[in-house]
Amino acid sequence: MALVPNEGPLFAEVEMSGDSFSSTVRATVVQASTIFYDTPATLDKAERLLAEATSYGAQLVVFPEAFIGGYPRGSTFGVSIGNRTDKGKEEFRKYHASAIDVPGPEVDRLAAMAGKYKVYLVMGVIERDGYTLYCTVLFFDSQGHYLGKHRKIMPTALERIIWGFGDGSTIQVYDTPIGKIGAAICWENRMPLLRTAMYAKGIEIYCAPTADSREVWQASMTHIALEGGCFVLSANQFCRRKDYPPPPDYVFSGSEEDLTPDSVVCAGGSVIISPSGAVLAGPNYDGEALISADLDLGEIVRAKFDFDVVGHYARPEVLSLTVKDHPVSAVSFTSTSSTSKAERSTK
């Protein structure tokens, strides 16, 4: 399948403009599919999409969950309670090979893209840390600098057999000239305490890369916009069966027999919502698309006048939250510090 036409735009843009009398940020969410098991080709596709989004004036571009590395929809990796098959282990080996190191050459390329197109970039990736994978979001500024990452702290259901758990050290909000930007991934967004931590960090542009294309997802996104007094940008993939490898190399467990190459296996639903709960663009269920809106940053202040969940509407003497935001490691070594003390004592 040709992914990019020789001329003309890759996707039609969907947009709605904001208030021209206030400071605005042009934001785009990308709704497109990974090229599964082909990370170099997916990076090429990401650059084409980024180029097109910026041609429409985008200052911030948000990609879906696991865009680089892929979301392994329908796969069981051969797991049942008490058993893991050889075929499933080989599936994981290939998935591990498609993931990226952070930092690493793919991160350098993404940073270069952000700098080339002068855009803030939020990218969903599968991060490889040794032999453990994480569902991660990477942040880049418009000068081509890597700002940092957020690792999904709670994978959902069977995701837990392939992805590790992020710790509190990557619950970050980045203060940029276009606003304070952060992200929570998919069903993390249903965790009230995580949302509260992000509100306390002052998030203004709340990115929600996801793999959930159900209509009920829209209710969660609207609630977060109202609760946090922030813009919510939710990006999902739009995928057909043919966007994944064919069987027997890749099998959609329990549904493969009912699927044709053109069957939709993830319907998108990407959306941009204002702090007042108004839908600015989307949700789109029609296909791959760039979905854009102008974010009137004055709306944040107007919304906070009504409800500031960690400010004038908080009751810390009754309800409070402590966030353990330090890195956690499974193993700590004391030999270096012990050796240093011994060396000092002999001098």
Side-chain angles (χ1 to χ4, degrees):
M1 179 181 67
L3 294 168
V4 186
N6 292 326
E7 57 185 9
L10 181 57
F11 301 136
E13 189 195 29
V14 183
E15 63 175 284
M16 180 178 288
S17 296
D19 183 354
S20 60
F21 297 101
S22 298
S23 176
T24 61
V25 173
R26 181 72 164 179
T28 296
V29 295
V30 172
Q31 180 165 289
S33 174
T34 301
I35 303 173
F36 212 81
Y37 288 152
D38 195 338
T39 296
T42 302
L43 285 164
D44 290 343
K45 182 175 182 178
E47 181 160 7
R48 293 192 295 268
L49 292 165
L50 198 61
E52 186 168 348
T54 55
S55 76
Y56 292 119
Q59 298 163 273
L60 167 67
V61 179
V62 181
F63 278 77
E65 177 180 13
F67 187 77
I68 306 296
Y71 187 83
R73 185 175 302 277
S75 178
T76 65
F77 289 87
V79 171
S80 58
I81 294 176
N83 185 57
R84 286 160 297 283
T85 67
D86 290 340
K87 184 177 184 296
K89 291 177 182 180
E90 175 59 15
E91 279 187 58
F92 183 76
R93 185 201 64 77
K94 291 193 290 185
Y95 190 52
H96 181 271
S98 298
I100 67 172
D101 296 325
V102 181
E106 294 86 0
V107 177
D108 293 342
R109 182 173 177 192
L110 290 168
M113 288 182 203
K116 177 180 178 180
Y117 297 103
K118 306 299 181 187
V119 66
Y120 287 84
L121 173 61
V122 179
M123 176 63 75
V125 307
I126 299 304
E127 177 192 358
R128 181 178 53 227
D129 187 356
Y131 299 101
T132 297
L133 303 180
Y134 294 92
C135 184
T136 298
V137 169
L138 306 181
F139 299 85
F140 303 88
D141 72 14
S142 60
Q143 303 304 305
H145 300 129
Y146 167 61
L147 299 177
K149 68 185 178 185
H150 168 65
R151 284 177 171 173
K152 194 174 190 177
I153 64 170
M154 177 52 72
T156 300
L158 209 61
E159 293 173 356
R160 295 171 199 167
I161 69 168
I162 54 168
W163 296 340
F165 294 64
D167 61 35
S169 67
T170 69
I171 303 173
Q172 298 290 343
V173 172
Y174 298 94
D175 193 355
T176 78
I178 65 168
K180 296 177 179 178
I181 303 170
I185 306 169
C186 206
W187 278 22
E188 281 189 319
N189 289 285
R190 297 172 64 173
M191 300 174 70
L193 301 184
L194 175 60
R195 297 199 308 267
T196 302
M198 295 174 68
Y199 301 150
K201 287 177 175 282
I203 193 164
E204 296 170 333
I205 301 175
Y206 186 118
C207 303
T210 188
D212 192 339
S213 62
R214 299 172 305 155
E215 289 187 13
V216 72
W217 179 253
Q218 303 301 319
S220 291
M221 297 299 94
T222 301
H223 174 77
I224 291 168
L226 288 168
E227 179 182 67
C230 53
F231 290 95
V232 173
L233 282 61
S234 183
N236 194 5
Q237 298 193 33
F238 183 94
C239 307
R240 298 184 186 274
R241 176 63 186 89
K242 63 188 177 185
D243 293 319
Y244 286 80
D249 293 336
Y250 193 102
V251 175
F252 277 71
S253 179
S255 62
E256 187 65 60
E257 315 75 45
D258 301 323
L259 299 175
T260 70
D262 287 324
S263 295
V264 174
V265 295
C266 182
S270 301
V271 69
I272 300 176
I273 301 176
S274 80
S276 67
V279 175
L280 301 181
N284 185 303
Y285 297 101
D286 298 328
E288 294 198 331
L290 301 176
I291 299 161
S292 298
D294 292 333
L295 314 184
D296 170 13
L297 300 184
E299 282 201 45
I300 297 170
V301 180
R302 293 190 285 272
K304 298 285 191 181
F305 177 64
D306 287 338
F307 185 81
D308 186 355
V309 67
V310 292
H312 63 76
Y313 224 89
R315 288 292 307 277
E317 74 279 16
V318 179
L319 302 167
S320 62
L321 172 65
T322 300
V323 179
K324 298 176 182 178
D325 59 353
H326 56 279
V328 177
S329 177
V331 180
S332 298
F333 294 95
T334 61
S335 57
T336 302
S337 58
S338 298
T339 301
S340 299
K341 290 178 183 179
E343 288 174 349
R344 286 196 297 271
S345 68
T346 58
K347 292 180 179 177

